[in-house]
Amino acid sequence: MLDSKLLRTQLQDVADRLATRGYQLDVARIEALEAQRKTVQTRTEQLQAERNARSKSIGQAKQRGEDIAPLLADVDRMASELDAGKQELEGIQAELDQLMLTLPNLPHESVPVGKDEDENVEVRRWGTPKSFDFPVQDHVALGEQHGWLDFETAAKLSGARFALMRGPIARLHRALAQFMIDLHTREHGYEEAYTPYLVQAPALQGTGQLPKFEEDLFKITREGEADFYLIPTAEVSLTNIVADEILDAKQLPLKFVAHTPCFRSEAGASGRDTRGMIRQHQFDKVEMVQIVEPDQSFEALESLTGNAEKVLQLLELPYRVLALCTGDMGFGATKTYDLEVWVPSQDKYREISSCSNCGDFQARRMQARYRNPETGKPELVHTLNGSGLAVGRTLVAVLENYQQADGSVRVPEVLKPYMAGIEVIG
């Protein structure tokens, strides 16, 4: 959530910056609501002062033996008007608050301005895509030839956009997740967490999925109780650990990592990546979250992105890093790097991780603060998140980049300890 003071004092600047994201801020509506709020607030404050003065005069009139009935009636009338004014003020503020929840974050000044993904800026590349001297198969063909990757049975169980993994591929999938968790906890300083997969609406509002993206979520309605939502990413549960907290500065930075399934309805993705494991309703991800002091968040973004890159480097998978332009960034981000891994069957790089600095955007929604040691006052923390990595997409990249002419797949060196020494599957 943006700082409401910005809308009151720098409304046009906010509108201009949001326009670079393709978001058209209804400036006239906000100005009208603010003007209405000020008018009602001023009238209410004047009425309160007048009522206080009139109440005081009642006691004085009573001492003088005067008839106070007209004064009492006047005070009662003012009380009714005050109640009406307060209700009107609450209604205006509720509308402003609801509008604030729908506004995306402001892009940082270092973010390239652009309309869509075509205007993202490549920052660097690592590794060289391998040349194959045989026809390349995609991960679906590689997995299905031995019955280890089964979309037909998954569809029988659950419908489209699900996968059933068996045997060596299921083991390889598990090995990837375990390797990522071990790397981030042992070398990158993250604390492993196991979080609920079901959360309530306030947690999703805190990280920005609600109210704007409800159609992308799987919702479980419970009669007489709060609804549950399946997490779209562990970012939700990990970041909300600090919701409504005032942290000691000595606790920062906090670095959490979790391996969880993720659930997304993929609304609006009809016809995209219908083959294979690139875009599914259920997939596993190792998620990294950092909670830091405000002046450290952009340095932390570089570190977080490097943590995700290290996974790909150790797996020896070619990739590139993109700085997302204003028009392609996620709702809550002020700056984002995407990592794209090389997928041989598609002859292009595909997203495998998104690493974002959200600034104080999520913290303001969650009321996540720390006590500034210099001032002694609570201030909003900054939050960051990134995939380290999407496990299913990493599996896709390993299967395709390590495939051999006979359809077998070599196991990356770094994964062999997790595969009981197995060197080739298939």
Side-chain angles (χ1 to χ4, degrees):
M1 181 184 292
L2 301 181
D3 186 348
S4 58
K5 292 179 183 177
L6 282 176
L7 267 72
R8 290 197 293 269
T9 62
Q10 302 175 45
L11 181 58
Q12 191 55 53
D13 179 59
V14 170
D16 292 342
R17 292 173 69 184
L18 290 179
T20 67
R21 300 193 58 146
Y23 185 93
Q24 298 304 313
L25 184 63
D26 191 343
V27 173
R29 181 57 182 156
I30 293 175
E31 287 177 336
L33 284 170
E34 272 297 324
Q36 188 181 358
R37 183 188 63 80
K38 288 178 183 178
T39 299
V40 175
Q41 186 170 331
T42 299
R43 186 175 73 241
T44 302
E45 289 172 353
Q46 290 173 343
L47 195 59
Q48 182 66 60
E50 188 177 347
R51 182 173 181 265
N52 292 342
R54 195 63 55 90
S55 296
K56 186 176 180 181
S57 68
I58 288 174
Q60 295 170 343
K62 193 173 184 179
Q63 287 179 347
R64 294 193 298 268
E66 298 174 1
D67 182 10
I68 61 172
L71 294 174
L72 288 171
D74 213 19
V75 168
D76 288 343
R77 176 187 57 79
M78 290 180 185
S80 296
E81 290 181 10
L82 267 175
D83 286 340
K86 288 177 180 177
Q87 288 180 16
E88 186 178 0
L89 200 57
E90 287 173 2
I92 296 167
Q93 191 59 54
E95 187 171 349
L96 281 167
D97 290 345
Q98 194 61 30
L99 188 151
M100 291 291 291
L101 286 173
T102 67
L103 302 184
N105 203 353
L106 297 177
H108 187 256
E109 59 187 14
S110 64
V111 175
V113 175
K115 298 186 295 296
D116 53 37
E117 61 184 13
D118 293 333
E119 298 186 68
N120 293 336
V121 176
E122 186 173 312
V123 177
R124 56 184 171 271
R125 292 191 182 198
W126 186 94
T128 303
K130 179 183 175 181
S131 296
F132 293 88
D133 57 5
F134 55 86
V136 170
Q137 298 188 72
D138 69 8
H139 67 283
V140 178
L142 290 166
E144 286 184 336
Q145 63 183 326
H146 299 292
W148 294 332
L149 189 54
D150 186 347
F151 296 97
E152 187 176 332
T153 302
K156 179 178 69 175
L157 297 171
S158 306
R161 295 191 186 273
F162 289 91
L164 172 64
M165 289 177 277
R166 297 169 60 178
I169 283 185
R171 184 169 189 168
L172 185 59
H173 184 267
R174 174 165 54 90
L176 282 165
Q178 188 63 59
F179 156 65
M180 294 174 194
I181 287 287
D182 286 349
L183 176 65
H184 296 316
T185 55
R186 294 173 183 175
E187 297 188 23
H188 297 155
Y190 289 81
E191 177 188 350
E192 184 175 0
Y194 175 83
T195 77
Y197 302 160
L198 293 168
V199 295
Q200 295 180 5
L204 289 153
Q205 180 174 296
T207 44
Q209 284 80 14
L210 287 178
K212 187 173 177 60
F213 301 105
E214 182 156 9
E215 66 173 3
D216 292 321
L217 303 170
F218 285 108
K219 180 178 181 179
I220 300 172
T221 302
R222 300 189 298 163
E223 188 174 351
E225 296 186 73
D227 295 335
F228 276 144
Y229 293 83
L230 286 161
I231 58 170
T233 164
E235 170 200 343
V236 176
S237 41
L238 290 174
T239 309
N240 274 279
I241 289 173
V242 297
D244 299 312
E245 298 286 337
I246 300 178
L247 304 168
D248 190 305
K250 294 177 181 178
Q251 295 176 261
L252 301 178
L254 288 172
K255 299 170 70 175
F256 300 119
V257 65
H259 166 218
T260 70
C262 305
F263 306 90
R264 299 183 186 177
S265 72
E266 291 295 344
S270 178
R272 296 175 60 193
D273 297 311
T274 55
R275 178 175 169 83
M277 297 180 63
I278 296 293
R279 193 178 298 276
Q280 297 196 296
H281 290 312
Q282 176 186 315
F283 59 95
D284 279 35
K285 187 148 66 81
V286 170
E287 183 75 3
M288 303 176 293
V289 162
Q290 293 195 27
I291 314 294
V292 304
E293 293 185 50
D295 62 356
Q296 296 175 6
S297 63
F298 285 97
E299 180 182 346
L301 176 60
E302 301 299 325
S303 172
L304 181 104
T305 305
N307 297 156
E309 288 184 72
K310 189 66 175 178
V311 178
L312 292 169
Q313 291 169 8
L314 290 173
L315 289 169
E316 300 182 73
L317 294 171
Y319 68 90
R320 66 176 183 172
V321 180
L322 301 178
L324 297 196
C325 71
T326 52
D328 196 36
M329 283 199 308
F331 178 78
T334 187
K335 184 172 184 176
T336 297
Y337 292 116
D338 266 10
L339 274 59
E340 294 186 341
V341 69
W342 181 254
V343 179
S345 69
Q346 299 184 16
D347 197 34
K348 64 180 179 180
Y349 293 95
R350 294 300 305 267
E351 180 194 340
I352 198 167
S353 173
S354 199
C355 299
S356 298
N357 180 5
C358 296
D360 61 12
F361 186 83
Q362 293 178 328
R364 184 171 287 105
R365 297 167 81 104
M366 297 186 301
Q367 280 303 289
R369 295 168 290 172
Y370 80 108
R371 196 169 297 282
N372 187 318
E374 295 183 4
T375 64
K377 296 180 179 179
E379 296 181 15
L380 295 170
V381 296
H382 280 196
T383 64
L384 302 96
N385 63 80
S387 305
L389 304 164
V391 183
R393 293 193 179 194
T394 309
L395 177 64
V396 168
V398 168
L399 292 174
E400 295 202 11
N401 282 279
Y402 281 85
Q403 65 180 291
Q404 301 186 110
D406 62 357
S408 63
V409 177
R410 290 186 298 110
V411 174
E413 195 66 33
V414 75
L415 293 183
K416 289 179 182 177
Y418 298 92
M419 294 288 289
I422 296 173
E423 296 193 359
V424 176
I425 63 172

